[in-house]
Amino acid sequence: MYKSFQRKAYQRENANSWERLFGKLLTPIEAFTRNSSASGILLIVCTLAALIIANSPWSDGYHHLLHQPLAVSLGDYKIEMSLHHWVNDGLMALFFYLVGLEIKHEVMVGELSSLSQAALPIIAAIGGMIVPALVYGAINAGGAGSAGWGIPMATDIAFAIAVLILLGDRIPAGLVTILVALAIVDDLGAVVVIALFYTETIQVGPLLAALGCFALQLALNRFGVRKPWPYLTIALVMWTLMLFSGVHATIAGVLGALATPVRTLYNPEEFSREARKLLDKFDIYRRREHNFLESERLVGVLHTLNYGINQAQAPLQRLEHSLHDPVYFLIIPLFAFFNAGVMINAASIGSLVSHPVSIGVALGLLIGKFVGVFGAVWLSVRLGIGKLPTGVNFRHVCGMGILAGIGFTMSIFISELAFKGEDLLLNNAKIAILAASIIASLAGYAWLRAGSNGDEHS
């Protein structure tokens, strides 16, 4: 009797686990925000680890690790960079590849697929890029740090979404949707800025060859090639050519993503019909053969069904899904660890409130972002160009404008390009980015939480 009871208890527990696994179907935006919130927490941990180590007795070892050379050679060709540059120029290309996939997905079927939906986040993103750049430029015009005007333009989506997730049901779902769309447009703007303004010298031959790779990817797409590996292989060659061309190599990631196919092999009706036939076969075989290990036919049905599931999804969807976790749970945390280790002492804290670069970055993120995002949304709604989603009011938009000041990943990335070889300016910029991002996170959370309490009592 005890064994019977134990078996039934196990079955109930197992059933509950399946129910938890399949009981709720997540929309792409829900899955994205859940993963982004978890990656935001990991990002904080890696950032704190880098700061602690860089200001500890292990500081020399940390910097030695950053500058450790690593070479990849093929015949007479050789690429040698420090680990720091391999992370920033190599691994971050996958981050930009994912950014490109997200941009294309949103433009094709997401929040940016129609003018009425896209107007508000696009205008908000443009305002949130122009005003911070103007604020920074006004403070650093003609100075040594004038090249850093692009630093406060970007919003870190992982951190911003993590703050919204902490607020839970206190905020409307429409606010998350606007912020995600805004950040994606923001990323596109940052990519354009990097490509046009943070390229030192251009080698025409490698650049033309890289563009030829992009054209080849477009041709494969046009002729119906749907396997991901040809696109990824060509993207790797394109990345190498971009590296030699002088244009930042991560741009290859965005171009490769834009060439990724969006067509599926099966439409939903075909997939449903064929899947039901396979499930009918599965039921027939299941009545005769109960063990997967002993039944090649059951396993064969599962493999065929799995193949059909893959073919019913666009390659863009499959790559976006498969890359999200490696990028947000490995690459970006590594980027944070390799780039956030700045020295914090009395001198650096003093320069935070006195150096033009620090002031420009901090005010650009905290004031420029808020004024740009909130002002653009307010103006577009008043002029009838855009419309706030259901449940979203200007108090929520105000909180979103504050959270848009969380720069971090893209801001640090641009600061590395703007102040390459200028350690003092780079250190000041990074400290300002970290300080402004912390302030924006806490202030945005406090504002939205206080506003939600007001809504509950009203």
Side-chain angles (χ1 to χ4, degrees), residues 139-185:
I139 296 171
N140 287 273
S146 58
W149 59 269
I151 295 171
M153 293 176 63
T155 295
D156 190 287
I157 190 169
F159 266 137
I161 292 298
V163 174
L164 290 184
I165 294 300
L166 290 175
L167 290 162
D169 295 334
R170 294 184 179 90
I171 58 167
L175 187 66
V176 180
T177 303
I178 295 179
L179 184 59
V180 170
L182 181 154
I184 288 173
V185 177

Side-chain angles (χ1 to χ4, degrees), residues 199-210 238-249:
T199 296
E200 297 176 358
T201 57
I202 296 179
Q203 300 295 326
V204 177
L207 179 60
L208 290 177
M238 182 164 57
W239 173 85
T240 306
L241 292 167
M242 282 286 189
L243 193 66
F244 288 115
S245 74
V247 177
H248 202 272

